Amino acid sequence: MSIRKKIVYAVVLSGILIALFLCIGVNANNWEYVLSRRIPRVIAIIITGGAIAFSSMIFQTVTNNRILTPSVLGLDSLYVFIQTFVVFLFGAKNLTVANNNVNFIISVSLMIVFSMALYKVMFKLGNSNILFLLLVGLIFGTLFQSLSSFMQLLIDPNEFAVIQDRMFASFNSINLKILLMSVVIVILVIGYTYGYVKILDALSLGREQAINLGVEYDRVVKKMLIVISILVSVSTALVGPITFLGLLVVNLSREFLNTYKHKYLLTYSILISIVALVGGQLVIERVMNFNTPLSVVINFVGGVYFIYLLLKESKA
């Protein structure tokens, strides 16, 4: 089967799942109310899935490693730390926590500032080795996670419930103002990055080969890392962290398409991500009656797949 046919099938499947998600239970009496609630959730799923898949594909290309995800940069842990720190310092009724718009802007801004500061310091010190950068990001992520856990032990249980809601991704209640900002940011960033699709094909060959082909490696990598940080920050602040989704959809895309061309891989990984999120949300709502957060199911499946990849690489 050709690559184009596989992409068309993924488009059809995602369209069917979205139609089912929107139309199940809709009738002439409730359609206006139901669709007004479900359409923003579908848009949030598409934006979140697209941002995570897109950033994860670029991240694996830049690092030249199929078992890494942007979460190793510590942004997921930083997001949880921000939410915990604000509640710990000011309480759950503080404007920063209660107002979703303010919380979104602060969270995204701090995550992007942290990422850019980290990149600037690492490259300024002459440590252009991407693996060293990942190691530093992993250390910061562990630090943020430890600090969050410590503060969560000290705060009031009622206030911890507020933090707990932010620790797991949820598409059940989406703020339209935040959603609009996220849509604009993600579309602009993805549109900008698509100009580097052919350069990403060269980057997938490795640093030395990319430089031999005329790619300004360090400059392009810096730009791609900033793109990754923005997309991960926006998706995390919009719905919460989903650690293994990117790993899952990106590797499935590589397996199904078996190509190096990012114009296909990026598109297909976004479609697979939408299928996973919409289909998963349907199962959570219609079969499991909201008993389990979608992020828990995806992280479980992604974690099992991660172990499979590790075993596969070790045998290779």
Side-chain angles (χ1 to χ4, degrees):
M1 187 185 298
S2 67
I3 292 176
R4 295 181 184 275
K5 283 186 178 179
K6 291 179 181 179
I7 293 177
V8 170
Y9 288 152
V11 170
V12 172
L13 179 58
S14 59
I16 292 173
L17 289 173
I18 290 173
L20 288 173
F21 184 84
L22 291 175
C23 298
I24 289 179
V26 175
N27 54 51
N29 297 322
N30 65 7
W31 68 269
E32 187 173 359
Y33 171 76
V34 172
L35 292 181
S36 67
R37 299 281 296 176
R38 292 182 182 177
I39 289 176
R41 293 166 64 192
V42 168
I43 296 174
I45 288 173
I46 293 172
I47 290 298
T48 302
I52 292 175
F54 198 90
S55 59
S56 298
M57 179 65 74
I58 296 174
F59 188 77
Q60 289 191 2
T61 298
V62 169
T63 59
N64 202 20
N65 193 312
R66 289 184 59 178
I67 61 173
L68 292 178
T69 65
S71 61
V72 300
L73 294 174
L75 294 180
D76 292 353
S77 301
L78 176 58
Y79 171 76
V80 176
F81 171 73
I82 293 169
Q83 304 303 316
T84 305
F85 180 75
V86 172
V87 173
F88 178 79
L89 205 61
F90 303 107
K93 295 182 179 180
N94 182 268
L95 176 64
T96 308
V97 181
N99 190 309
N100 290 328
N101 298 338
V102 176
N103 189 291
F104 175 82
I105 293 172
I106 291 177
S107 299
V108 170
S109 300
L110 287 177
M111 285 189 282
I112 293 175
V113 168
F114 166 76
S115 303
M116 296 184 70
L118 179 63
Y119 303 153
K120 185 174 182 179
V121 170
M122 289 295 101
F123 283 98
K124 190 175 182 180
L125 292 175
N127 294 311
S128 57
N129 188 337
I130 191 68
L131 295 179
F132 183 76
L133 176 64
L134 298 180
L135 177 61
V136 174
L138 188 63
I139 292 171
F140 272 108
T142 304
L143 173 64
F144 293 139
Q145 188 175 13
S146 300
L147 292 174
S148 300
S149 298
F150 174 72
M151 287 185 288
Q152 288 167 12
L153 290 173
L154 300 178
I155 63 177
D156 183 88
N158 295 322
E159 294 183 338
F160 174 73
V162 176
I163 300 173
Q164 196 172 32
D165 288 338
R166 305 286 173 89
M167 290 170 61
F168 300 99
S170 174
F171 298 97
N172 295 330
S173 58
I174 302 297
N175 187 302
L176 292 179
K177 292 182 180 179
I178 293 176
L179 181 59
L180 179 60
M181 285 189 287
S182 302
V183 169
V184 172
I185 294 171
V186 170
I187 289 176
L188 289 176
V189 172
I190 289 179
Y192 167 80
T193 310
Y194 257 107
Y196 289 84
V197 165
K198 292 184 178 179
I199 296 177
L200 290 172
D201 294 342
L203 287 181
S204 63
L205 298 174
R207 177 187 173 90
E208 289 75 17
Q209 287 80 0
I211 293 175
N212 290 335
L213 291 172
V215 176
E216 297 181 55
Y217 183 83
D218 288 343
R219 183 177 66 85
V220 173
V221 166
K222 289 178 185 177
K223 289 183 177 181
M224 293 301 102
L225 287 173
I226 292 173
V227 165
I228 291 166
S229 300
I230 294 173
L231 291 177
V232 173
S233 300
V234 170
S235 62
T236 304
L238 178 63
V239 299
I242 312 178
T243 305
F244 284 107
L245 177 64
L247 175 77
L248 185 62
V249 300
V250 167
N251 281 283
L252 287 176
S253 299
R254 293 184 187 277
E255 292 289 338
F256 290 157
L257 296 188
N258 194 24
T259 181
Y260 69 91
K261 293 185 177 181
H262 282 74
K263 65 179 181 180
Y264 299 127
L265 289 172
L266 289 169
T267 303
Y268 198 71
S269 61
I270 290 174
L271 292 171
I272 292 288
S273 183
I274 293 172
V275 168
L277 289 178
V278 176
Q281 191 68 25
L282 275 172
V283 172
I284 293 297
E285 293 184 11
R286 304 298 167 183
V287 178
M288 305 180 71
N289 296 320
F290 295 96
N291 288 327
T292 305
L294 176 60
S295 59
V296 173
V297 177
I298 290 178
N299 287 338
F300 172 75
V301 176
V304 173
Y305 189 67
F306 177 73
I307 295 173
Y308 163 76
L309 289 175
L310 288 177
L311 295 174
K312 183 180 177 181
E313 292 295 325
S314 65
K315 289 181 180 179

